[in-house]
């Protein structure tokens, strides 16, 4: 059954039926309920094209992802975020468009999407400091929502972020309380705002404890298992190697563990590790009763759901001040941390 046939069966105009199905306030409640009941009875599902033509709206949210030599967004953490947003978009009748573009074309891609009128709003990933996307989108006047924050951009905009600085400061401080003085930081790419905040948390914990930081114990790069493995090997081969690591991702942590074991050491006995565990659906941190790694836990899938809710609210209420939300990560104690061993030379 198409829209015309449904309208004929109800003896209503196609415009009235379309407006009733899409919740327009000028349609009376009695008519709306009658149309919805008939649509269910006839198993009617409006096509996206017909719906958009009738309402003048695209009902689409776009995620533009740049391919870069410096970082790669397309990983299992990103997939979990996309799964979370997709759940909410589907509930509210929105389509999700994910566009992967060359980094040099990223800004133009936003302009092109707006010029075509093919988008209701944008979800912004991986914000950088002084991120050029934010002033561009403010200028274009299209609703957008940022997963994260951009230091250096002072105009109000809508965002949700995890308190990355506090999470890593707390994790580093926990290792210091266990007696660790040489702690390696294996961070994400520090062109990203979140990674710079995590480094700040690591440094702050050292300063508060009166411990000097050592640049040979700090590195950044892609949050992958190979990057964690290589970075950990370099640090473990130092004349004065670390006794513990703080890692920006459970993916990097798997590489750190491989490096530790390749040196004949044991995680949780000889070397302690705390990771920023994104509570990844396809890569759980052990079991709830027995976490494999001590971790700063924050569900990226839950963040995706919340970001989508807030973006849709932003689309529907553009006159309201932009909503901003800061989540705290939870420190989960697992089997990867222990009291620092005393120096064998003493």
């Amino acid at each position: 059954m198409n829209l015309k046939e449904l309208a004929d069966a109800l003896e209503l105009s196609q415009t009235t039926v379309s407006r009733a199905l899409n919740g327009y306030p000028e349609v009376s409640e009695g008519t709306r309920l009658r149309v919805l009941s008939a649509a269910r009875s006839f198993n009617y599902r409006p096509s996206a094209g017909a719906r958009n033509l009738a309402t003048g709206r695209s009902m689409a949210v776009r995620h533009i992802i740049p391919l870069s030599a410096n970082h790669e967004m397309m990983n299992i953490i990103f997939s979990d975020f996309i799964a979370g947003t997709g759940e909410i978009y589907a509930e509210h009748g929105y389509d999700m468009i994910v566009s992967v573009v060359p980094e040099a074309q990223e800004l133009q891609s936003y302009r092109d999407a707006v010029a075509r009128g093919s988008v209701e709003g944008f979800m912004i990933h991986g914000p950088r400091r002084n991120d050029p996307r934010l002033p561009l989108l403010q200028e274009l006047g299209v609703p957008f929502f940022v997963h994260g924050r951009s230091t250096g951009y002072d105009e109000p905009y809508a965002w949700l972020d995890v308190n990355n600085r506090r999470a890593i400061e707390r994790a580093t401080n926990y290792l210091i309380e266990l007696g660790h003085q040489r702690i390696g930081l294996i961070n994400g790419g520090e062109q990203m705002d979140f990674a710079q905040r995590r480094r700040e948390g690591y440094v702050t914990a050292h300063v508060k404890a009166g411990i000097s930081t050592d640049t040979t114990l700090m590195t950044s790069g892609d949050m992958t298992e190979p990057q964690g493995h290589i970075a950990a090997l370099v640090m473990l081969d130092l004349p004065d190697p670390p006794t513990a690591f703080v890692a920006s991702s459970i993916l990097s942590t798997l590489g750190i563990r491989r490096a530790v074991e390749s040196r004949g050491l044991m995680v949780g006995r000889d070397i302690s590790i705390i990771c920023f565990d994104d509570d990844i659906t396809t890569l759980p941190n052990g079991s709830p009763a027995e976490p494999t790694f001590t971790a700063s836990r924050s569900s990226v899938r839950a963040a995706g759901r919340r970001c989508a809710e807030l973006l849709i609210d932003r689309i529907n209420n553009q006159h309201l001040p932009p909503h901003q939300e800061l989540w705290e990560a939870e420190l989960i104690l697992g089997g990867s941390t222990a009291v620092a061993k005393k120096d064998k030379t003493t």
Side-chain angles (χ1 to χ4, degrees):
M1 173 173 278
N2 59 33
L3 180 65
K4 183 180 184 304
E5 291 168 337
L6 179 62
D8 289 345
L10 290 164
E11 297 184 345
L12 296 170
S13 71
Q14 293 183 51
T15 299
T16 298
V17 172
S18 176
R19 288 179 178 274
L21 290 169
N22 287 283
Y24 276 66
E26 58 265 34
V27 178
S28 70
E29 183 66 9
T31 299
R32 187 181 71 83
L33 292 175
R34 181 176 162 227
V35 170
L36 291 175
S37 177
R40 284 193 294 269
S41 297
F42 292 115
N43 196 29
Y44 171 75
R45 295 290 185 273
S47 70
R51 178 193 64 196
N52 297 347
L53 184 62
T55 63
R57 297 180 59 181
S58 69
M59 296 300 290
V61 173
R62 189 176 290 267
H63 297 234
I64 294 178
I65 311 302
L67 281 177
S68 168
N70 296 321
H71 65 91
E72 178 55 79
M73 287 291 297
M74 305 297 278
N75 55 36
I76 62 173
I77 298 173
F78 173 80
S79 299
D80 242 24
F81 182 84
I82 287 293
T85 60
E87 292 171 12
I88 302 302
Y89 296 150
E91 287 177 11
H92 290 80
Y94 281 80
D95 295 320
M96 175 171 53
I97 302 171
V98 179
S99 302
V100 180
V101 302
E103 186 176 28
Q105 298 176 19
E106 182 182 12
L107 296 182
Q108 187 59 44
S109 296
Y110 287 100
R111 296 187 184 95
D112 292 343
V114 173
R116 289 193 300 268
S118 61
V119 65
E120 297 274 329
F122 292 99
M123 185 69 72
I124 307 302
H125 301 266
R128 304 175 290 276
R129 295 203 167 188
N130 302 297
D131 197 307
R133 292 174 293 180
L134 307 191
L136 171 64
L137 288 168
Q138 295 277 29
E139 177 188 337
L140 293 172
V142 178
F144 66 94
F145 196 88
V146 182
H147 180 213
R149 286 176 284 173
S150 176
T151 301
Y153 183 70
D154 297 327
E155 295 298 317
Y157 61 96
W159 55 262
L160 180 147
D161 198 10
V162 177
N163 196 335
N164 288 287
R165 176 171 178 162
R166 185 175 296 170
I168 297 302
E169 179 182 348
R170 184 182 183 191
T172 306
N173 187 61
Y174 179 72
L175 291 171
I176 292 171
E177 289 175 348
L178 290 175
H180 296 279
Q181 300 282 304
R182 299 278 293 169
I183 302 169
L185 171 67
I186 297 182
N187 202 5
E190 291 180 5
Q191 74 277 11
M192 298 294 190
D193 194 275
F194 79 86
Q196 293 197 28
R197 293 179 188 274
R198 291 180 185 181
R199 178 186 280 259
E200 289 167 2
Y202 168 88
V203 171
T204 298
H206 281 77
V207 170
K208 288 182 177 179
I211 301 172
S212 298
T213 55
D214 182 345
T215 57
T216 65
L217 295 181
M218 292 181 275
T219 189
S220 66
D222 291 343
M223 294 189 297
T224 63
E225 195 276 351
Q227 187 267 346
H229 177 244
I230 293 168
L233 286 177
V234 170
M235 293 186 192
L236 289 170
D237 289 340
L238 292 170
D240 189 8
T243 62
F245 290 94
V246 175
S248 257
S249 169
I250 194 170
L251 302 175
S252 306
T253 299
L254 298 177
I256 298 171
R257 180 173 65 183
R258 180 159 66 98
V260 168
E261 292 174 351
S262 74
R263 293 293 185 264
L265 303 171
M266 181 181 293
V267 172
R269 184 193 69 188
D270 305 301
I271 301 288
S272 289
I273 305 175
I274 297 183
C275 66
F276 198 101
D277 167 34
D278 291 289
D279 196 13
I280 304 167
T281 303
T282 56
L283 186 60
N285 181 20
S287 68
E290 294 185 47
T292 302
F293 299 105
T294 298
S296 295
R297 173 172 293 175
S298 182
S299 170
V300 74
R301 189 167 188 144
R305 289 193 292 266
R306 182 61 175 155
C307 286
E309 290 172 350
L310 293 170
L311 175 56
I312 291 170
D313 187 56
R314 185 79 183 141
I315 291 168
N316 294 326
N317 300 281
Q318 297 182 41
H319 61 285
L320 295 178
H323 182 86
Q324 299 175 342
E325 198 165 298
L326 184 63
W327 288 9
E328 297 293 338
E330 181 182 7
L331 183 64
I332 303 295
L333 300 184
S336 65
T337 48
V339 174
K341 287 189 171 185
K342 292 183 178 179
D343 192 331
K344 294 178 181 181
T345 63
T346 61

